Amino acid sequence: FLENAFSTAEGQWSRCLSDVVQRIRAEGDQFRIREAERKTISQMAILQMMRTPGHREDSAQLLDGMISHLRKQGATDEILLKSSMPLRLSHQDHKAFHLKTLLDTDSVLQRQNCILNHIWCFFRVGNHGKLYISDEPVVRRPHLKEGWMSHSGIASPGIEIAFPLTPDICLVMFE
């Protein structure tokens, strides 16, 4: 189901990405990305990040943690049900929540706008090897280290987000 929902978007992403990659190779350091291309690639990056098993697991842990915290604060089953919170989350519940977040255009747009405000740099690997894309195509690296917070969210101060576009070109976004 999900793959069918993304097929139209992936066609747009592919055309945009092909044009950007061709211009990066032709223009080198003179390359400047167009605003429409930034919007298309930001949507692509966010949805590629959100559709991964790792993102689903992170969301599941967040939901489970929230329910646990609410119970520790005295929330009863009746209160949780009134607030539309499930009492327990099954594997199917986690999958359904993941699908819902992927299809929530407001959530995707909010995340997309976040990375649109980051500094974008395109790097070429050159003769140093090749980039590999795994089942987690978007990599986040937090640079801020303070306290118990991970600072690995896309809006976190000091976050670096790397998104390989081809085996030799990587988009790196900085907060």
Side-chain angles (χ1 to χ4, degrees):
F1 169 78
L2 188 58
E3 298 309 317
N4 289 335
F6 284 141
S7 63
T8 302
E10 286 176 342
Q12 292 172 331
W13 298 342
S14 178
R15 287 186 296 278
C16 174
L17 197 55
S18 177
D19 183 48
V20 166
V21 166
Q22 183 179 19
R23 288 185 22 245
I24 288 171
R25 289 187 175 134
E27 298 171 19
D29 291 345
Q30 302 304 311
F31 172 77
R32 299 291 177 262
I33 191 165
R34 299 174 184 130
E35 193 59 32
E37 294 166 337
R38 275 178 68 99
K39 287 181 180 178
T40 299
I41 292 174
S42 66
Q43 179 191 53
M44 178 182 170
I46 289 299
L47 287 169
Q48 291 294 353
M49 182 173 53
M50 290 176 67
R51 75 196 304 183
T52 64
H55 182 77
R56 181 170 57 217
E57 290 168 16
D58 289 348
S59 296
Q61 287 177 1
L62 183 65
L63 278 173
D64 290 342
M66 185 168 47
I67 292 169
S68 175
H69 178 75
L70 289 171
R71 286 190 183 283
K72 287 178 185 173
Q73 298 300 314
T76 63
D77 287 356
E78 182 181 346
I79 291 171
L80 290 172
L81 289 171
K82 281 184 182 177
S83 66
S84 301
M85 288 294 293
L87 300 177
R88 283 160 209 70
L89 292 169
S90 68
H91 180 67
Q92 284 305 111
D93 292 329
H94 290 296
K95 286 177 75 171
F97 181 75
H98 186 223
L99 179 62
K100 183 179 176 182
T101 60
L102 281 166
L103 298 176
D104 179 358
T105 54
D106 289 338
S107 175
V108 172
L109 188 58
Q110 181 182 15
R111 293 167 193 212
Q112 182 181 353
N113 285 334
C114 178
I115 66 170
L116 278 170
N117 290 321
H118 289 356
I119 297 166
W120 286 32
C121 298
F122 293 88
F123 293 97
R124 297 212 42 203
V125 173
N127 295 329
H128 302 291
K130 295 189 183 280
L131 301 168
Y132 293 94
I133 299 172
S134 69
D135 58 346
E136 299 279 344
V138 180
V139 178
R140 295 173 293 171
R141 181 177 181 208
H143 289 280
L144 184 61
K145 310 260 193 268
E146 79 179 4
W148 55 272
M149 294 181 64
S150 71
H151 296 287
S152 62
I154 62 171
S156 295
I159 193 68
E160 176 183 331
I161 304 166
F163 182 34
L165 303 177
T166 69
D168 68 324
I169 298 173
C170 185
L171 166 59
V172 180
M173 297 165 273
F174 303 92
E175 183 277 330

